[in-house]
Amino acid sequence: MHNHPIKIKGARQNNLKGLDLEIPLNQITVVTGVSGSGKSSLAFDTLYAEGQRRYVETFSPYARQFMERMDRPQVDAIEGIPPAIAIDRKDPVRTSRSTVGTMTEITDYVKLLYARLGQLYCKKCGKRVVPETPEHVWQKLKKLPAGSEVIVTFPYPYPNAGVSVEQVCMELGSMGFTRIYHNGRILSLEEWQPRKERTIHVVADRLRMGRPDHLRIVDSVEQGFRFGGGKIDVWVGDKKRLSFSRGLECARCNITYHTPLPNLFSFNSPIGACETCRGFGRNIDIDQDLIIPDTSLSLEQGAIKPWGDGQKLRMEFGDLMDFCRKEKISTDIPFRQLTKTQKKKIIDGTSSYYGIRGFFQWLETKTYKMHVRVFLSRYRSYTICHDCNGTRFKEEPLLYRLGKYTIGQVYAMNVQETGDFFRALKVPPKDEASRLVLEEVNNRLRYLKDVGLGYLTLDRQSRTLSGGEVQRVALASALGSSLVSTLYVLDEPSIGLHPRDSHR
Ligand SMILES: [Zn+2]
Ligand SMILES: [Zn+2]
């Protein structure tokens, strides 16, 4: 570990007056001073802003535009600054979306790992989707037997109503392309008789394999990608067609995928959360076993519990009796002896009758009344969301895998298993940011195990934990964040602490 200090030269942020200073690493440095003397301007607006900026720089340009980015601080130079990782130390609010993973912030880091290192598998054919570079294409083509004829083409939209054939020919001609590939033949633009094709294949290059043609192929492919919107085809011999795509696209199934953002892997974000359960993993629905607890009762005897029997004179009970008379449904035999269709009509309703479901839907609109909420809670229960199977995620994030596992599978494993998995995970060499993030995950998992919580799963709901478990989770996440090589900037960290605890 290097021990050079952080050097700041000429800091002029806010009210700072060209400050020069050095801050030693691997130590706690305290900045004190009277109010308004520029403590925060130095610590946050200069030091933290620069560290954060450099951390964000390690992401792809596309991902960067969605990340919080602080303004470049007013300073002549800052040297030797480690990446600063910002974690809001908000109170761990125990909402129903809060899990062991979110409480320990493990999910904040795991989502970064999936966005950076996750491997996409096509939702249709299940094959790996790899963005193809010209170099990839070359690696494939160089395996062809010497002497094979190879034609590189790029797709170009077929002239539509607004654009004439002449215009397309002129456009292509002005870019230096004069030939197209059609039905196994190369045609000049003059020879070309447009028919019903939806796209045309414009020839970017034609060559025979064999000579050292690495550069030429890479060039032609690069050019094809540029004019073909990131797509090319390579035709080998008479029949063989190889499709390549520069974006995240399964060329086989013609499905395009978005570049993954970190929040795609967060069930607390609308980008990643299952739309049906909004990231809760479960849905609340009316529970038939609670509504009709005793199926040996007849409808007259009050089989539908929320509607009571004839004595309570509920309007819904009267409506039910009227409906049964019209539909010729017996009201004096046990509910369980009714036919499937009859039960379904009573539960789901018909076009002219609201049924149990319609009744509860109407109640849903009245939940501002306390007694309605109490009433509802007696007849509803949670069920695993059938769309995401309780993983809380949309389909797309679950197409990505780290090693063998999707993010949903990782969260369903217990701490012990998750720890084994992440410890074995390989980060590409030189990917310093991923290594740091992985270390954060591993630290927290190790501490969770050390405090005896190896049996918990990361997707375990916080509010189902015992008091003792909650305390130990909190302890593990505090210990886990003591990472080396990261710049921590804390503002008055002892605020809100009991004097008795401040020494810890
Ligand atoms: Zn596919
Ligand atoms: Zn769901």
Side-chain angles (χ1 to χ4, degrees):
M1 170 126 309
H2 57 85
N3 261 317
H4 302 295
I6 301 172
K7 287 184 186 165
I8 301 179
K9 288 204 188 95
R12 277 173 281 98
Q13 186 72 29
N14 303 336
N15 54 351
L16 299 178
K17 302 220 159 41
L19 205 60
D20 294 344
L21 75 153
E22 292 191 356
I23 298 173
L25 289 180
N26 307 326
Q27 289 180 29
I28 294 176
T29 301
V30 179
V31 184
T32 60
V34 295
S35 167
S37 59
K39 301 185 296 287
S40 293
S41 297
L42 177 65
F44 280 99
D45 301 337
T46 306
L47 202 53
Y48 171 65
E50 184 63 14
Q52 164 72 357
R53 235 175 41 78
R54 293 193 189 179
Y55 174 67
V56 170
E57 303 273 282
T58 64
F59 284 84
S60 75
Y62 182 75
R64 250 182 262 159
Q65 58 183 324
F66 296 92
M67 299 179 76
E68 186 207 15
R69 226 164 157 196
M70 302 188 70
D71 290 334
R72 185 183 286 275
Q74 297 255 312
V75 60
D76 294 338
I78 300 187
E79 289 165 21
I81 193 166
I85 290 182
I87 295 294
D88 303 329
R89 295 236 56 118
K90 289 188 211 102
D91 289 335
V93 185
R94 290 206 269 156
T95 68
S96 44
R97 249 189 306 229
S98 164
T99 63
V100 171
T102 61
M103 273 179 83
T104 52
E105 292 147 359
I106 289 175
T107 51
D108 291 330
Y109 294 103
V110 171
K111 75 178 183 189
L112 294 177
L113 283 180
Y114 269 86
R116 295 180 74 103
L117 306 176
Q119 295 175 336
L120 174 64
Y121 290 81
C122 175
K123 62 179 163 192
K124 193 157 162 224
C125 67
K127 295 234 166 69
R128 187 101 188 259
V129 180
V130 188
E132 282 159 326
T133 62
E135 192 55 38
H136 271 105
V137 180
W138 161 250
Q139 292 299 331
K140 274 227 172 119
L141 294 188
K142 77 173 188 190
K143 291 182 195 134
L144 293 171
S148 311
E149 186 184 44
V150 166
I151 298 165
V152 179
T153 68
F154 60 88
Y156 203 76
Y158 179 75
N160 56 30
V163 191
S164 69
V165 177
E166 287 72 31
Q167 272 173 298
V168 169
C169 289
M170 252 173 57
E171 234 172 77
L172 287 171
S174 70
M175 296 187 292
F177 300 106
T178 55
R179 294 172 298 172
I180 64 156
Y181 186 77
H182 181 67
N183 277 345
R185 292 201 309 139
I186 291 184
L187 305 172
S188 73
L189 283 174
E190 293 88 61
E191 288 173 283
W192 173 45
Q193 298 286 321
R195 293 207 187 84
K196 289 240 165 66
E197 313 96 312
R198 262 198 263 129
T199 45
I200 48 181
H201 299 286
V202 181
V203 176
D205 200 4
R206 171 197 203 173
L207 67 154
R208 276 189 191 283
M209 297 297 292
R211 283 175 313 226
D213 29 23
H214 175 226
L215 263 185
R216 175 165 170 188
I217 288 191
V218 167
D219 262 10
S220 308
V221 169
E222 181 64 52
Q223 192 184 39
F225 276 149
R226 196 161 62 242
F227 291 106
K231 291 183 194 176
I232 59 155
D233 289 289
V234 177
W235 311 80
V236 185
D238 287 345
K239 291 207 184 70
K240 200 164 161 195
R241 172 185 179 176
L242 303 166
S243 301
F244 297 95
S245 164
R246 192 169 51 182
L248 271 179
E249 193 202 79
C250 180
R252 220 172 284 112
C253 306
N254 205 13
I255 302 174
T256 314
Y257 297 90
H258 304 292
T259 307
L261 302 173
N263 273 350
L264 183 65
F265 302 98
S266 166
F267 51 78
N268 273 317
S269 157
I271 302 177
C274 164
E275 276 160 7
T276 308
C277 62
R278 303 197 325 279
F280 291 103
R282 303 175 312 157
N283 287 310
I284 193 160
D285 197 8
I286 54 172
D287 187 332
Q288 209 174 304
D289 292 338
L290 298 173
I291 292 168
I292 310 166
D294 183 356
T295 55
S296 71
L297 293 180
S298 69
L299 291 171
E300 273 172 25
Q301 288 170 316
I304 315 294
K305 194 174 164 208
W307 293 346
D309 50 29
Q311 271 137 37
K312 291 200 186 130
L313 292 174
R314 278 195 71 115
M315 190 187 82
E316 293 82 16
F317 183 83
D319 288 348
L320 174 66
M321 290 301 126
D322 289 348
F323 175 70
C324 289
R325 215 166 298 130
K326 255 184 260 157
E327 295 279 329
K328 304 206 165 31
I329 297 174
S330 315
T331 54
D332 55 358
I333 59 168
F335 182 83
R336 72 163 85 97
Q337 284 175 18
L338 297 177
T339 67
K340 221 174 166 183
T341 330
Q342 289 172 332
K343 287 182 198 162
K344 191 169 155 41
K345 281 180 179 168
I346 292 167
I347 292 166
D348 293 339
T350 65
S351 55
S352 58
Y353 176 60
Y354 51 84
I356 293 172
R357 200 164 282 283
F359 170 70
F360 276 93
Q361 274 162 5
W362 171 76
L363 277 184
E364 293 274 350
T365 65
K366 305 273 177 268
T367 48
Y368 54 88
K369 291 180 185 158
M370 183 63 187
H371 72 272
V372 170
R373 289 202 298 275
V374 172
F375 183 86
L376 276 174
S377 70
R378 263 188 260 148
Y379 299 108
R380 295 196 302 181
S381 65
Y382 285 101
T383 49
I384 294 276
C385 172
H386 52 84
D387 265 353
C388 63
N389 281 320
T391 62
R392 301 158 182 259
F393 287 102
K394 274 186 192 151
E395 181 191 25
E396 198 170 336
L398 297 176
L399 297 173
Y400 288 81
R401 287 168 192 272
L402 266 183
K404 277 191 296 198
Y405 300 115
T406 67
I407 194 163
Q409 290 168 328
V410 167
Y411 289 166
M413 292 194 274
N414 69 33
V415 165
Q416 173 80 45
E417 293 161 339
T418 320
D420 293 343
F421 167 68
F422 279 112
R423 260 197 315 283
L425 189 70
K426 295 267 181 297
V427 166
K430 289 192 188 148
D431 188 350
E432 186 63 6
S434 295
R435 196 189 58 75
L436 278 176
V437 170
L438 182 59
E439 210 168 288
E440 291 280 347
V441 173
N442 280 331
N443 278 338
R444 285 167 166 78
L445 286 169
R446 192 175 66 241
Y447 285 115
L448 275 175
K449 211 178 83 191
D450 288 351
V451 296
L453 297 177
Y455 58 91
L456 290 181
T457 62
L458 290 179
D459 64 4
R460 172 77 174 269
Q461 273 204 312
S462 312
R463 63 174 178 195
T464 66
L465 297 172
S466 74
E469 284 171 334
V470 171
Q471 279 180 14
R472 280 183 287 159
V473 170
L475 175 65
S477 46
L479 289 171
S481 50
S482 60
L483 172 75
V484 283
S485 266
T486 302
L487 174 66
Y488 280 88
V489 184
L490 306 169
D491 195 8
E492 309 199 350
S494 56
I495 266 189
L497 272 188
H498 192 279
R500 186 184 60 209
D501 292 330
S502 296
H503 69 277
R504 282 169 198 259

